[in-house]
Amino acid sequence: REEFYEISPADFFYRNRDIAGFSNPARALYSAVRELVENSLDAGELARRPPDIYVRLSCDGEKGEEGSSVYTLRVEDNGSGVPARHIPQAFGQVFYGSKYRLRQARGTFGLGGTMAILYGQITTNSPVHVISSADGKRIHEYTLMIDIKNNRPIVLKHKVYSNHNGWRGTIIETKLEGEYSRAMPKILEYFRQTAVVAPYANLTFVDPKGRLYRFERATEAMPKPPVETKPHPYGIDVETMKRMIAVTQCRDMVSFLREHFHKIGRTIALRFLLEEAKIPPKRKPKRLSNEEIVKLVKAMKRFTGFRAPSADCLSPLGVELFRAGIVKELKPEFVSVKQRPPSVYSGYPFIVEVAIAYGGEIPRTGDIILYRFANRIPLLYDEASDVAWKVVHQLVNWKYYKVDPSKDPVAVFVHVCSTKIPYRSVGKEFIADVPEIEREILNGVRDVARDLSLYLSRKIAVERERQR
Amino acid sequence: REEFYEISPADFFYRNRDIAGFSNPARALYSAVRELVENSLDAGELARRPPDIYVRLSCDGEKGEEGSSVYTLRVEDNGSGVPARHIPQAFGQVFYGSKYRLRQARGTFGLGGTMAILYGQITTNSPVHVISSADGKRIHEYTLMIDIKNNRPIVLKHKVYSNHNGWRGTIIETKLEGEYSRAMPKILEYFRQTAVVAPYANLTFVDPKGRLYRFERATEAMPKPPVETKPHPYGIDVETMKRMIAVTQCRDMVSFLREHFHKIGRTIALRFLLEEAKIPPKRKPKRLSNEEIVKLVKAMKRFTGFRAPSADCLSPLGVELFRAGIVKELKPEFVSVKQRPPSVYSGYPFIVEVAIAYGGEIPRTGDIILYRFANRIPLLYDEASDVAWKVVHQLVNWKYYKVDPSKDPVAVFVHVCSTKIPYRSVGKEFIADVPEIEREILNGVRDVARDLSLYLSRKIAVERERQR
Ligand SMILES: Nc1ncnc2c1ncn2[C@@H]1O[C@H](COP(=O)(O)OP(=O)(O)OP(=O)(O)O)[C@@H](O)[C@H]1O
Ligand SMILES: Nc1ncnc2c1ncn2[C@@H]1O[C@H](COP(=O)(O)OP(=O)(O)OP(=O)(O)O)[C@@H](O)[C@H]1O
Ligand SMILES: [Mg+2]
Ligand SMILES: [Mg+2]
């Protein structure tokens, strides 16, 4: 009498789209814009071309229920483009993408762009247009819908044009129900904060009223691109180990460790196998028994001799870039920026960068203003559930730094970059309070708070001097 | 050069298991216990048999890294059992289950039980044993693992026994890495709070130290079971409409509306089609054009003539049961319990039940203690991100009710039941601040706070009288 059945990933996120950030027309408009802009920024960094991103939101004129309407959202970029054979699945299938690797990127789940299109489809029944060139020779234009029940793209049309000026990039145009008046402050704030952490990007936004917002690039210099890395032994588990063993060509344990793991040299591999794992170095990986695999994984987590992961797979903002973005946006009287040394949680390397700004155009809001970023993405929702909020509002003793949060115009900026940001949900809005990350944010905030406190003491001293 | 590929739902939740509540060994132990106990409670309510649930957690003796160990978790119930042909997928496939329907249940996503087993497998490489009888005639024993890459069960063994005493129920035994010392307070609290909202269940828990915890049922009376309902027009979107049209046998719009939707009678259907949707009643549903489908969905959301959804698909605790559970656990000096009338958000009916308790064994913690429940599940994490916390700590003016949160021993209990609880993430720990739900919780808290304030005034008056 109980009916059992399976649902596809697209069906799951269709039924639970609020979990992915598409809970109501205003929030869905914000989420659609940010998911597509983040894809375009990733594509620009991949192509190592300063991104020119153009976003147009126009109202199709039909008033929906209580203030919502149908909008057309168009996002154009000059990034890497999407290879033609992957376009249908990249946009028409949930859990399909190119970001499933150990390298810093905004994209993580293989879900965001597809969700924007899915939401558009279920509210307007219209297909999405994707125009892209990845090789500069041909331009491919697809008209797609999503077969939600089966998590598959439906290609309605596919045209190919020759590419006369070698353009590379991607254009997405989709219709969706939204409510711009409520979404507008968040959308504009998203662009403003993106300009701070991606100052090499030109962002143009035309809103439904035809107003043009331009965020001009402050520099042509692109950040050093992150390099894909291999898994670190501290983060390994039985499943990953079994997959490595299944694909390995290595015929002994030493070369297996050196080939598949991050920074394990011959000496360390031998020491680990003989002293900790107690597995003969000559053993064939494919011949390990199930018990030996479990023993090996446990030994890897215990062994203290592995080198800390390097940060080549990360691409932090850097102190200069971060400072430049903050100064440009808020023109503060004082700024201090610190980059913490690379750290690691569960085998994933991460870097925390913290800044504090005082005065200038920072408003007095009765509390410290917190700006949060992860892998160069601004996080604008669920502040009180984020680890950075916990640090800034619960763990730091501001009095000690001569700061009165209720009176002083202070803003704190926290940027975390990692090969895996521990988001608490697929909506990418807040970060879990992983102990290692919490500790680094706390240390970073204390570093910059110390600088501010010196500045404020000097300021008070100068003021007293003047008054005599 | 960019590698595109797809990942299965099991692979997705393997890589992002922290999103599902399996972030570290202590938390994973809690999540595994709660997911399996919730499955057993759902099964008992389905079978309409007062649940007897036995949970044993034993330590396998191997110390893992920093305090974690391998545990064996065994959960036995006398519920509906799982039909043999569905056992492999119910436990070995993500997004497979029997809870994808419009009827109140703890299960929602088709993910929880499978996650517990997946986590056990990747930390211990051991299979799970599932023993079940759904018909009372045969007992099926499966030994399973999960093919994570392909989201498919792997059946290692399947034995069938004859069932001599007609037992019905399910036994799950799995090995997993955990850390009981850190998880213990939460696990015990989970059982305690479950006893409050499922007082018809016997819960027995044997912990790794061999200590026995018994939560005896307070009543044999089972709640009235929820009845599956049809979608309400206010919650409809284009995708659901297209699926109904694809399966319908109806050959005109009036019977289509009456057949597929919740409580639409002939008169209302005609009025809606003629006045609001402007679609001829004789039209064949399968002949509707895409534009007409969109027009129909929009009209459904606008039309004010549909009847509010009934609450047959819900199964609230009821004032008596809620009061009994609270009195049994906290023996307060005063309790007031209120059930709000059925309400609806996005077409999903819901009922809010609120209680306030004062004195007795309620500790003074410096703030109001908040107990949260959703579909009879205790929510123990992420309190500050939950809509109930926002209401109790930010929206209610306690001074007005003569309550000083920092001094008075006050506990507030909030239970929300719905055909779709708007959880913020698949870990089922906190609820989104959907405006309709927030409003009902606020009204409920004010209702019971008013009663408490009367009690406290009388108490103060009596005290003054005595002192003269
Ligand atoms: N504008 C674009 N330019 C180039 N490639 C793109 C663009 N948009 C999407 N893609 C490709 O399509 C894939 C899927 O995009 P989608 O947003 O659905 O997932 P994702 O970005 O990988 O992960 P996330 O869910 O975290 O956003 C990406 O991995 C990327 O390879
Ligand atoms: N103890 C049990 N007795 C009877 N049926 C069970 C039991 N445990 C699991 N099932 C069945 O297996 C299915 C899958 O369980 P699972 O926990 O993975 O998902 P769910 O309970 O449907 O949803 P959720 O992810 O919200 O828990 C259930 O829908 C139920 O039909
Ligand atoms: Mg993306
Ligand atoms: Mg379940």
Side-chain angles (χ1 to χ4, degrees), chain A residues 220-232:
Chain A
E220 290 266 342
M222 296 285 286
K224 181 159 161 298
V227 175
E228 185 172 356
T229 184
K230 295 176 190 168
H232 192 276

Side-chain angles (χ1 to χ4, degrees), chain A residues 333 356-360 362-369 398-412 452-453 456 459-460:
Chain A
E333 173 185 326
I356 199 163
Y358 176 91
I362 297 170
R364 280 163 217 265
T365 58
D367 211 341
I368 295 180
I369 303 176
W398 289 102
K399 251 172 111 182
Y400 177 77
Y401 299 103
K402 304 193 175 37
V403 172
D404 180 350
S406 61
K407 298 215 186 67
D408 296 331
V410 174
V412 174
L452 175 62
S453 116
L456 291 177
K459 189 176 182 201
I460 292 170

